[in-house]
């Protein structure tokens, strides 16, 4: 275990947990479901992905590295899908964005779908 | 123990502490809601933080078996969020249909 590897793993883990912390603060403090979704999906995925990369750097074995990177790729592929589905469902059942949201193009699209 | 190994131990402990604090913040969001999609989103985030915990514990103990469990947990979290989104959509449609039928019963014209 070299010094550079130890320091790199420590810094990667600290960065990942910092991003997870930022995501949870955003989840608690932002105003409506769509803004919270923005915090949780971007910063949350970055946080857990960075910590998996830290584990891969620490182990430096081919099986651990391949599994960790496969997990990161899997999170990067699935998070946008699940977040999009949840946002679409929340909007269609009538959870409106906060007052501060000025641009709401999806309202026009949904109205157009319903009216013709 | 060399100084870099001590630095790594310190980073691992600090990461665990930060993750624990963010875990508590997410649980607060699950409790206060206020809507069902908020709670579903917080649950999704809870899974992400759980995966982070697994990675940090893997570095702390040099025990890599839990990595498979982290991947499986990510899969389960994804499927749960998708299923909950369908549930929100279906329940909202049912409520909309009930409102429509109540309105037409009140006002037949």
């Amino acid at each position: 275990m070299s010094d550079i590897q130890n320091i790199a793993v420590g810094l990667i883990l600290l960065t990942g947990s910092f991003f997870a912390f930022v995501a949870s603060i955003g989840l608690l403090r932002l105003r409506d479901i769509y803004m919270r979704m923005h915090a949780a999906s971007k910063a949350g995925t970055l946080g857990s992905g960075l910590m998996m990369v830290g584990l891969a750097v620490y182990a430096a074995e081919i099986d651990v590295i391949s599994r960790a990177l496969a997990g990161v790729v899997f999170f990067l592929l699935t998070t946008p899908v699940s977040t999009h589905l949840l946002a679409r469902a929340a909007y269609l059942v009538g959870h409106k964005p906060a007052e501060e949201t000025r641009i709401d193009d999806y309202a026009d699209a949904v109205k157009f779908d319903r009216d013709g | 123990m060399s100084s870099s190994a001590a630095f790594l131990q310190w980073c691992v402990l600090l990461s665990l502490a930060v993750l624990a604090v963010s875990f508590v913040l997410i649980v607060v969001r699950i409790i206060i809601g206020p809507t069902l999609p908020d709670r579903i989103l917080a649950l999704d985030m809870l899974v992400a933080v759980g995966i982070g915990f697994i990675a940090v514990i893997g570095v702390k103990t040099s025990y890599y078996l839990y990595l498979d469990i982290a991947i499986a947990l990510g899969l389960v979290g994804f499927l749960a969020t998708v299923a909950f989104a369908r549930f929100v959509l279906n329940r909202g449609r049912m409520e909309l249909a009930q409102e429509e039928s109540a309105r037409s019963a009140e006002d037949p014209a």
Side-chain angles (χ1 to χ4, degrees):
Chain A
M1 180 63 69
S2 68
D3 285 354
I4 296 172
Q5 198 179 4
N6 275 336
I7 292 170
V9 170
L11 291 180
I12 290 172
L13 286 183
L14 278 185
T15 315
S17 60
F18 171 74
F19 274 109
F21 184 57
V22 168
S24 64
I25 289 177
L27 205 62
L28 201 60
R29 298 216 36 179
L30 290 179
R31 302 190 68 91
D32 64 4
I33 171 75
Y34 307 102
M35 297 185 201
R36 285 172 201 148
M37 218 167 251
H38 150 82
S41 64
K42 292 186 190 67
T45 310
L46 184 59
S48 58
L50 270 179
M51 283 183 274
M52 295 276 271
V53 170
L55 180 62
V57 173
Y58 177 78
E61 296 167 12
I62 190 68
D63 56 335
V64 178
I65 291 173
S66 59
R67 276 184 290 167
L69 291 185
V72 172
V73 169
F74 179 74
F75 300 144
L76 288 179
L77 286 178
T78 55
T79 310
V81 177
S82 62
T83 310
H84 165 77
L85 284 174
L86 190 59
R88 187 172 178 278
Y91 199 98
L92 287 180
V93 303
H95 296 293
K96 292 294 172 206
E99 289 294 319
E100 287 80 3
T101 307
R102 298 291 170 81
I103 301 172
D104 189 6
D105 282 341
Y106 197 41
D108 301 335
V110 170
K111 198 165 180 299
F112 184 76
D113 271 355
R114 281 194 186 140
D115 297 344
Chain B
M1 184 190 278
S2 69
S3 64
S4 70
F7 174 75
L8 180 60
Q9 285 300 316
W10 187 80
C11 283
V12 163
L13 288 181
L14 194 64
S15 305
L16 284 176
V18 171
L19 281 176
V21 173
S22 61
F23 211 80
V24 171
L25 293 182
I26 293 167
V27 169
V28 168
R29 173 51 74 192
I30 289 183
I31 291 171
I32 65 176
T35 64
L36 181 61
D38 280 317
R39 295 196 168 98
I40 297 168
L41 184 69
L43 196 70
D44 199 39
M45 185 67 211
L46 208 63
V47 169
V49 172
I51 291 165
F53 263 120
I54 289 174
V56 178
I57 292 293
V59 172
K60 187 173 165 60
T61 60
S62 302
Y63 196 59
Y64 307 130
L65 190 63
Y66 288 118
L67 192 55
D68 294 331
I69 297 174
I71 294 173
L73 187 65
L75 181 65
V76 169
F78 168 62
L79 291 178
T81 309
V82 171
F84 271 130
R86 298 291 300 203
F87 170 65
V88 167
L89 205 57
N90 281 334
R91 205 181 69 156
R93 281 201 181 120
M94 271 164 54
E95 282 171 359
L96 278 178
Q98 280 172 0
E99 280 174 18
E100 293 275 325
S101 63
R103 207 176 301 145
S104 60
E106 278 174 17
D107 184 15

